[in-house]
Short mmCIF file of all heavy atoms in Angstrom, two decimals:
data_model
loop_
_atom_site.label_atom_id
_atom_site.label_comp_id
_atom_site.label_asym_id
_atom_site.label_seq_id
_atom_site.Cartn_x
_atom_site.Cartn_y
_atom_site.Cartn_z
N HIS A 1176 -14.59 7.26 -8.19
CA HIS A 1176 -15.79 6.65 -8.75
C HIS A 1176 -16.01 5.32 -8.03
O HIS A 1176 -15.27 4.35 -8.27
CB HIS A 1176 -15.59 6.45 -10.25
CG HIS A 1176 -16.68 5.70 -10.91
ND1 HIS A 1176 -16.51 4.43 -11.39
CD2 HIS A 1176 -17.98 6.03 -11.16
CE1 HIS A 1176 -17.64 4.01 -11.93
NE2 HIS A 1176 -18.54 4.94 -11.79
N ILE A 1177 -16.96 5.28 -7.12
CA ILE A 1177 -17.23 4.09 -6.33
C ILE A 1177 -18.07 3.12 -7.16
O ILE A 1177 -19.17 3.45 -7.57
CB ILE A 1177 -17.98 4.44 -5.02
CG1 ILE A 1177 -17.20 5.49 -4.22
CG2 ILE A 1177 -18.25 3.19 -4.20
CD1 ILE A 1177 -15.82 5.07 -3.81
N GLN A 1178 -17.51 1.95 -7.39
CA GLN A 1178 -18.21 0.93 -8.18
C GLN A 1178 -19.09 0.12 -7.24
O GLN A 1178 -18.67 -0.90 -6.69
CB GLN A 1178 -17.18 0.08 -8.91
CG GLN A 1178 -16.36 0.92 -9.87
CD GLN A 1178 -15.10 0.23 -10.33
OE1 GLN A 1178 -14.71 -0.81 -9.83
NE2 GLN A 1178 -14.43 0.84 -11.30
N ALA A 1179 -20.31 0.60 -7.07
CA ALA A 1179 -21.24 0.03 -6.10
C ALA A 1179 -22.19 -0.95 -6.77
O ALA A 1179 -23.40 -0.72 -6.82
CB ALA A 1179 -22.00 1.17 -5.40
N TYR A 1180 -21.65 -2.02 -7.27
CA TYR A 1180 -22.47 -3.02 -7.96
C TYR A 1180 -21.69 -4.32 -8.08
O TYR A 1180 -20.51 -4.39 -7.77
CB TYR A 1180 -22.89 -2.53 -9.34
CG TYR A 1180 -21.76 -1.94 -10.17
CD1 TYR A 1180 -20.94 -2.75 -10.93
CD2 TYR A 1180 -21.52 -0.58 -10.17
CE1 TYR A 1180 -19.91 -2.22 -11.68
CE2 TYR A 1180 -20.49 -0.03 -10.92
CZ TYR A 1180 -19.68 -0.86 -11.67
OH TYR A 1180 -18.65 -0.32 -12.42
N GLY A 1181 -22.39 -5.34 -8.53
CA GLY A 1181 -21.76 -6.65 -8.73
C GLY A 1181 -21.47 -7.38 -7.44
O GLY A 1181 -20.57 -8.21 -7.38
N TYR A 1182 -22.24 -7.09 -6.40
CA TYR A 1182 -21.99 -7.74 -5.10
C TYR A 1182 -22.26 -9.24 -5.17
O TYR A 1182 -21.55 -10.02 -4.56
CB TYR A 1182 -22.88 -7.12 -4.02
CG TYR A 1182 -22.70 -5.64 -3.84
CD1 TYR A 1182 -23.78 -4.82 -3.55
CD2 TYR A 1182 -21.45 -5.04 -3.95
CE1 TYR A 1182 -23.62 -3.47 -3.37
CE2 TYR A 1182 -21.30 -3.67 -3.78
CZ TYR A 1182 -22.39 -2.89 -3.49
OH TYR A 1182 -22.24 -1.54 -3.31
N HIS A 1183 -23.28 -9.61 -5.89
CA HIS A 1183 -23.65 -11.02 -6.02
C HIS A 1183 -24.08 -11.27 -7.47
O HIS A 1183 -24.82 -10.47 -8.04
CB HIS A 1183 -24.81 -11.39 -5.08
CG HIS A 1183 -24.53 -11.08 -3.66
ND1 HIS A 1183 -23.72 -11.85 -2.87
CD2 HIS A 1183 -24.94 -10.05 -2.88
CE1 HIS A 1183 -23.65 -11.33 -1.66
NE2 HIS A 1183 -24.38 -10.24 -1.64
N THR A 1184 -23.64 -12.38 -8.03
CA THR A 1184 -24.04 -12.73 -9.39
C THR A 1184 -24.32 -14.24 -9.46
O THR A 1184 -23.77 -15.00 -8.66
CB THR A 1184 -22.94 -12.39 -10.43
OG1 THR A 1184 -21.87 -13.32 -10.31
CG2 THR A 1184 -22.43 -10.97 -10.27
N PRO A 1185 -25.13 -14.64 -10.42
CA PRO A 1185 -25.42 -16.08 -10.54
C PRO A 1185 -24.23 -16.90 -11.02
O PRO A 1185 -24.25 -18.12 -10.95
CB PRO A 1185 -26.57 -16.12 -11.55
CG PRO A 1185 -26.46 -14.85 -12.31
CD PRO A 1185 -25.89 -13.84 -11.37
N LEU A 1186 -23.19 -16.25 -11.49
CA LEU A 1186 -21.97 -16.97 -11.87
C LEU A 1186 -21.19 -17.44 -10.65
O LEU A 1186 -20.39 -18.36 -10.73
CB LEU A 1186 -21.07 -16.08 -12.74
CG LEU A 1186 -21.61 -15.75 -14.13
CD1 LEU A 1186 -20.77 -14.66 -14.78
CD2 LEU A 1186 -21.65 -16.99 -15.00
N VAL A 1187 -21.43 -16.76 -9.51
CA VAL A 1187 -20.67 -17.03 -8.29
C VAL A 1187 -21.56 -17.57 -7.17
O VAL A 1187 -21.17 -18.49 -6.46
CB VAL A 1187 -19.96 -15.74 -7.81
CG1 VAL A 1187 -19.25 -15.96 -6.50
CG2 VAL A 1187 -19.00 -15.24 -8.88
N ASP A 1188 -22.74 -16.98 -7.01
CA ASP A 1188 -23.59 -17.28 -5.86
C ASP A 1188 -24.67 -18.29 -6.20
O ASP A 1188 -25.35 -18.17 -7.22
CB ASP A 1188 -24.24 -15.98 -5.36
CG ASP A 1188 -23.20 -14.98 -4.91
OD1 ASP A 1188 -22.54 -15.24 -3.90
OD2 ASP A 1188 -23.04 -13.93 -5.59
N ASN A 1189 -24.88 -19.25 -5.32
CA ASN A 1189 -25.93 -20.26 -5.49
C ASN A 1189 -27.16 -19.95 -4.66
O ASN A 1189 -27.94 -20.84 -4.34
CB ASN A 1189 -25.39 -21.65 -5.17
CG ASN A 1189 -24.45 -22.14 -6.25
OD1 ASN A 1189 -24.67 -21.87 -7.44
ND2 ASN A 1189 -23.40 -22.82 -5.86
N LEU A 1190 -27.31 -18.68 -4.33
CA LEU A 1190 -28.52 -18.17 -3.68
C LEU A 1190 -28.90 -16.89 -4.41
O LEU A 1190 -28.02 -16.14 -4.84
CB LEU A 1190 -28.26 -17.83 -2.21
CG LEU A 1190 -27.89 -18.97 -1.28
CD1 LEU A 1190 -27.48 -18.42 0.08
CD2 LEU A 1190 -29.04 -19.94 -1.13
N THR A 1191 -30.18 -16.64 -4.56
CA THR A 1191 -30.60 -15.39 -5.17
C THR A 1191 -30.20 -14.25 -4.25
O THR A 1191 -30.24 -14.38 -3.03
CB THR A 1191 -32.12 -15.36 -5.41
OG1 THR A 1191 -32.79 -15.54 -4.16
CG2 THR A 1191 -32.53 -16.46 -6.38
N ALA A 1192 -29.78 -13.14 -4.84
CA ALA A 1192 -29.25 -12.04 -4.03
C ALA A 1192 -29.34 -10.72 -4.77
O ALA A 1192 -29.50 -10.69 -6.00
CB ALA A 1192 -27.80 -12.32 -3.66
N ALA A 1193 -29.21 -9.65 -4.03
CA ALA A 1193 -29.23 -8.30 -4.60
C ALA A 1193 -27.82 -7.95 -5.08
O ALA A 1193 -26.91 -7.81 -4.28
CB ALA A 1193 -29.69 -7.30 -3.55
N HIS A 1194 -27.65 -7.82 -6.37
CA HIS A 1194 -26.30 -7.52 -6.88
C HIS A 1194 -25.94 -6.05 -6.71
O HIS A 1194 -24.77 -5.68 -6.84
CB HIS A 1194 -26.15 -7.97 -8.34
CG HIS A 1194 -26.75 -7.04 -9.35
ND1 HIS A 1194 -28.10 -6.85 -9.46
CD2 HIS A 1194 -26.16 -6.27 -10.27
CE1 HIS A 1194 -28.32 -5.99 -10.42
NE2 HIS A 1194 -27.17 -5.62 -10.94
N VAL A 1195 -26.92 -5.21 -6.40
CA VAL A 1195 -26.67 -3.79 -6.17
C VAL A 1195 -27.42 -3.37 -4.91
O VAL A 1195 -28.21 -2.44 -4.94
CB VAL A 1195 -27.15 -2.92 -7.36
CG1 VAL A 1195 -26.75 -1.47 -7.18
CG2 VAL A 1195 -26.62 -3.44 -8.67
N ALA A 1196 -27.20 -4.06 -3.81
CA ALA A 1196 -27.94 -3.76 -2.59
C ALA A 1196 -27.54 -2.39 -2.04
O ALA A 1196 -26.37 -2.15 -1.75
CB ALA A 1196 -27.66 -4.83 -1.53
N LEU A 1197 -28.52 -1.51 -1.91
CA LEU A 1197 -28.24 -0.24 -1.25
C LEU A 1197 -28.01 -0.50 0.23
O LEU A 1197 -27.10 0.09 0.83
CB LEU A 1197 -29.41 0.73 -1.45
CG LEU A 1197 -29.24 2.12 -0.86
CD1 LEU A 1197 -27.97 2.80 -1.36
CD2 LEU A 1197 -30.46 2.98 -1.15
N TYR A 1198 -28.79 -1.38 0.80
CA TYR A 1198 -28.63 -1.80 2.20
C TYR A 1198 -28.65 -3.32 2.26
O TYR A 1198 -29.25 -3.97 1.42
CB TYR A 1198 -29.79 -1.27 3.07
CG TYR A 1198 -29.96 0.22 3.03
CD1 TYR A 1198 -30.98 0.80 2.30
CD2 TYR A 1198 -29.10 1.06 3.73
CE1 TYR A 1198 -31.15 2.17 2.25
CE2 TYR A 1198 -29.25 2.43 3.68
CZ TYR A 1198 -30.28 2.98 2.94
OH TYR A 1198 -30.43 4.33 2.90
N ASP A 1199 -28.02 -3.87 3.27
CA ASP A 1199 -28.11 -5.30 3.54
C ASP A 1199 -27.93 -5.47 5.04
O ASP A 1199 -26.80 -5.33 5.54
CB ASP A 1199 -27.06 -6.09 2.78
CG ASP A 1199 -27.19 -7.60 2.96
OD1 ASP A 1199 -27.84 -8.03 3.94
OD2 ASP A 1199 -26.64 -8.33 2.14
N PRO A 1200 -28.99 -5.73 5.78
CA PRO A 1200 -28.89 -5.82 7.23
C PRO A 1200 -28.07 -7.01 7.72
O PRO A 1200 -27.65 -7.03 8.88
CB PRO A 1200 -30.34 -5.94 7.68
CG PRO A 1200 -31.08 -6.47 6.51
CD PRO A 1200 -30.35 -5.96 5.29
N SER A 1201 -27.78 -7.97 6.85
CA SER A 1201 -27.06 -9.17 7.29
C SER A 1201 -25.60 -9.20 6.85
O SER A 1201 -24.91 -10.17 7.13
CB SER A 1201 -27.79 -10.42 6.79
OG SER A 1201 -27.77 -10.43 5.37
N SER A 1202 -25.14 -8.16 6.15
CA SER A 1202 -23.80 -8.20 5.58
C SER A 1202 -23.27 -6.79 5.32
O SER A 1202 -24.05 -5.89 5.01
CB SER A 1202 -23.85 -8.98 4.26
OG SER A 1202 -22.68 -8.79 3.52
N PRO A 1203 -21.96 -6.60 5.39
CA PRO A 1203 -21.39 -5.30 5.01
C PRO A 1203 -21.24 -5.14 3.49
O PRO A 1203 -20.74 -4.12 3.03
CB PRO A 1203 -20.02 -5.31 5.70
CG PRO A 1203 -19.65 -6.75 5.79
CD PRO A 1203 -20.96 -7.49 5.97
N VAL A 1204 -21.67 -6.12 2.73
CA VAL A 1204 -21.56 -6.05 1.28
C VAL A 1204 -22.76 -5.29 0.73
O VAL A 1204 -23.74 -5.88 0.26
CB VAL A 1204 -21.43 -7.46 0.65
CG1 VAL A 1204 -21.27 -7.35 -0.86
CG2 VAL A 1204 -20.27 -8.21 1.26
N ASN A 1205 -22.70 -3.96 0.84
CA ASN A 1205 -23.77 -3.10 0.34
C ASN A 1205 -23.25 -1.69 0.15
O ASN A 1205 -22.22 -1.30 0.71
CB ASN A 1205 -24.99 -3.16 1.26
CG ASN A 1205 -24.74 -2.58 2.62
OD1 ASN A 1205 -24.75 -1.38 2.80
ND2 ASN A 1205 -24.50 -3.45 3.61
N THR A 1206 -23.95 -0.91 -0.62
CA THR A 1206 -23.52 0.43 -0.98
C THR A 1206 -23.44 1.37 0.21
O THR A 1206 -22.47 2.11 0.36
CB THR A 1206 -24.47 1.00 -2.06
OG1 THR A 1206 -24.47 0.09 -3.18
CG2 THR A 1206 -24.04 2.37 -2.52
N ASP A 1207 -24.43 1.36 1.07
CA ASP A 1207 -24.44 2.23 2.24
C ASP A 1207 -23.20 1.99 3.11
O ASP A 1207 -22.52 2.94 3.50
CB ASP A 1207 -25.72 2.00 3.04
CG ASP A 1207 -25.82 2.91 4.25
OD1 ASP A 1207 -25.87 4.14 4.06
OD2 ASP A 1207 -25.81 2.39 5.39
N TYR A 1208 -22.91 0.74 3.38
CA TYR A 1208 -21.74 0.41 4.20
C TYR A 1208 -20.46 0.91 3.52
O TYR A 1208 -19.61 1.54 4.15
CB TYR A 1208 -21.66 -1.10 4.43
CG TYR A 1208 -20.38 -1.51 5.13
CD1 TYR A 1208 -20.29 -1.46 6.51
CD2 TYR A 1208 -19.27 -1.91 4.40
CE1 TYR A 1208 -19.11 -1.81 7.16
CE2 TYR A 1208 -18.09 -2.26 5.04
CZ TYR A 1208 -18.01 -2.21 6.41
OH TYR A 1208 -16.84 -2.54 7.04
N GLY A 1209 -20.32 0.62 2.23
CA GLY A 1209 -19.10 0.99 1.52
C GLY A 1209 -18.87 2.49 1.50
O GLY A 1209 -17.76 2.97 1.78
N ILE A 1210 -19.90 3.26 1.18
CA ILE A 1210 -19.75 4.72 1.15
C ILE A 1210 -19.37 5.25 2.52
O ILE A 1210 -18.47 6.09 2.66
CB ILE A 1210 -21.05 5.37 0.64
CG1 ILE A 1210 -21.20 5.09 -0.84
CG2 ILE A 1210 -21.05 6.88 0.91
CD1 ILE A 1210 -22.53 5.52 -1.41
N ASN A 1211 -20.04 4.75 3.56
CA ASN A 1211 -19.72 5.20 4.91
C ASN A 1211 -18.29 4.83 5.32
O ASN A 1211 -17.64 5.58 6.05
CB ASN A 1211 -20.74 4.67 5.91
CG ASN A 1211 -22.02 5.47 5.85
OD1 ASN A 1211 -22.01 6.68 5.86
ND2 ASN A 1211 -23.14 4.76 5.72
N GLU A 1212 -17.79 3.68 4.84
CA GLU A 1212 -16.40 3.30 5.12
C GLU A 1212 -15.42 4.27 4.47
O GLU A 1212 -14.44 4.67 5.07
CB GLU A 1212 -16.12 1.87 4.64
CG GLU A 1212 -16.56 0.81 5.60
CD GLU A 1212 -15.85 0.91 6.95
OE1 GLU A 1212 -14.61 0.79 7.00
OE2 GLU A 1212 -16.56 1.10 7.96
N TRP A 1213 -15.67 4.64 3.21
CA TRP A 1213 -14.80 5.61 2.54
C TRP A 1213 -14.76 6.92 3.32
O TRP A 1213 -13.68 7.48 3.55
CB TRP A 1213 -15.29 5.87 1.11
CG TRP A 1213 -14.84 4.88 0.10
CD1 TRP A 1213 -15.55 3.81 -0.36
CD2 TRP A 1213 -13.59 4.85 -0.58
NE1 TRP A 1213 -14.81 3.12 -1.30
CE2 TRP A 1213 -13.60 3.73 -1.46
CE3 TRP A 1213 -12.45 5.65 -0.54
CZ2 TRP A 1213 -12.53 3.43 -2.28
CZ3 TRP A 1213 -11.38 5.34 -1.37
CH2 TRP A 1213 -11.42 4.23 -2.22
N ILE A 1214 -15.92 7.40 3.74
CA ILE A 1214 -16.00 8.67 4.46
C ILE A 1214 -15.35 8.54 5.84
O ILE A 1214 -14.58 9.41 6.25
CB ILE A 1214 -17.46 9.15 4.55
CG1 ILE A 1214 -17.98 9.49 3.14
CG2 ILE A 1214 -17.60 10.33 5.49
CD1 ILE A 1214 -19.48 9.70 3.05
N LYS A 1215 -15.65 7.46 6.54
CA LYS A 1215 -15.09 7.23 7.88
C LYS A 1215 -13.55 7.19 7.84
O LYS A 1215 -12.89 7.65 8.76
CB LYS A 1215 -15.65 5.94 8.46
CG LYS A 1215 -15.22 5.65 9.88
CD LYS A 1215 -15.95 4.46 10.47
CE LYS A 1215 -15.36 3.18 9.94
NZ LYS A 1215 -15.95 1.97 10.51
N ARG A 1216 -13.01 6.65 6.75
CA ARG A 1216 -11.55 6.53 6.63
C ARG A 1216 -10.88 7.79 6.09
O ARG A 1216 -9.69 7.81 5.87
CB ARG A 1216 -11.20 5.32 5.78
CG ARG A 1216 -11.60 4.02 6.45
CD ARG A 1216 -11.14 2.84 5.66
NE ARG A 1216 -11.74 1.61 6.13
CZ ARG A 1216 -11.47 0.43 5.64
NH1 ARG A 1216 -10.60 0.31 4.66
NH2 ARG A 1216 -12.07 -0.65 6.11
N GLY A 1217 -11.70 8.83 5.82
CA GLY A 1217 -11.10 10.12 5.50
C GLY A 1217 -11.36 10.70 4.13
O GLY A 1217 -10.87 11.78 3.82
#
Side-chain angles (χ1 to χ4, degrees):
H1176 173 250
I1177 305 300
Q1178 298 164 351
Y1180 48 85
Y1182 302 143
H1183 304 283
T1184 73
L1186 292 169
V1187 176
D1188 299 292
N1189 288 323
L1190 296 172
T1191 59
H1194 80 292
V1195 186
L1197 182 56
Y1198 303 104
D1199 184 341
S1201 63
S1202 166
V1204 182
N1205 65 79
T1206 303
D1207 182 63
Y1208 174 85
I1210 289 172
N1211 283 312
E1212 278 299 299
W1213 277 97
I1214 294 168
K1215 184 172 78 176
R1216 294 185 192 182

